[in-house]
Amino acid sequence: MARAWYAYDGMGSPFLTSSYNLSVIKPTCINGCKVCAIYELNGGSTPQLLSANIRNYIIFMMISSVAQPSDPGAKIYLYSKNC
């Protein structure tokens, strides 16, 4: 299934699909302590779901303030931004 970028609305829980809106561009944010955007299964105006990986990436980002996954050379599925 195709994936798409979804921007976090900054208000709702980052663990709810309703807190994300479809983005027509790739995010320019990279690292920080707040969720900026996720690359998730395309569900239309909101993601189809938040996979276990994305939920773990959110937790790791909250601890490290680094885009996830943080492994060198890995495709990034979660970008964060400054507080």
Side-chain angles (χ1 to χ4, degrees):
M1 175 158 280
R3 293 182 178 268
W5 282 107
Y6 289 91
Y8 175 56
D9 68 11
M11 296 179 293
S13 168
F15 296 98
L16 298 175
T17 58
S18 60
S19 297
Y20 295 89
N21 297 299
L22 183 63
S23 176
V24 295
I25 60 170
K26 184 177 177 181
T28 58
C29 48
I30 298 175
N31 294 318
C33 60
K34 291 185 193 177
V35 173
C36 176
I38 60 172
Y39 192 58
E40 188 56 283
L41 294 176
N42 190 337
S45 61
T46 61
Q48 182 177 20
L49 56 85
L50 294 183
S51 67
N53 283 343
I54 289 290
R55 291 191 307 270
N56 285 330
Y57 295 156
I58 292 169
I59 293 167
F60 296 148
M61 180 279 306
M62 289 176 171
I63 294 168
S64 67
S65 297
V66 175
Q68 296 295 320
S70 59
D71 303 327
K75 167 108 176 109
I76 296 183
Y77 288 86
L78 182 141
Y79 285 92
S80 54
K81 63 183 176 180
N82 290 333
C83 296

